[in-house]
Amino acid sequence: MPEQQVGWLLAIIVGAVAGWAAEQIMKSNQGLLMNIILGIVGSIVANALFSIIGIGFGGVIGYLIAGIVGACILIALGRMIKGRRV
């Protein structure tokens, strides 16, 4: 069966929700645009990491979960590089 793809508009919406959720989990203060970017890029990063260990996500819920995990990873990496701001 062909893999289900997420369209651009849905990717932006899912990215925004994933970025917002990661922002709440990591207690950071980002804007809407940064939430969308973190959610989309985080989903790509998490899907790549999960595929290395043999876990695959599909569909909107899978992209949302991967986006949240990936965005949390990106926020943590950003804190490590910049240092924690108070």
Side-chain angles (χ1 to χ4, degrees):
M1 278 179 29
E3 186 176 326
Q4 182 180 2
Q5 297 289 322
V6 177
W8 284 104
L9 182 60
L10 191 58
I12 291 170
I13 293 169
V14 170
V17 172
W20 175 82
E23 178 182 61
Q24 299 303 311
I25 291 168
M26 299 295 289
K27 297 190 183 349
S28 67
N29 189 10
Q30 312 290 333
L32 176 63
L33 182 61
M34 187 57 95
N35 284 344
I36 293 170
I37 292 169
L38 281 173
I40 293 172
V41 174
S43 180
I44 294 167
V45 168
N47 277 324
L49 292 175
F50 288 144
S51 69
I52 290 172
I53 59 174
I55 299 172
F57 289 116
V60 176
I61 300 298
Y63 284 112
L64 181 63
I65 292 168
I68 293 170
V69 171
C72 286
I73 290 170
L74 292 176
I75 290 171
L77 286 175
R79 286 181 180 169
M80 285 174 40
I81 292 170
K82 288 184 180 178
R84 185 166 183 139
R85 294 183 182 174
V86 179

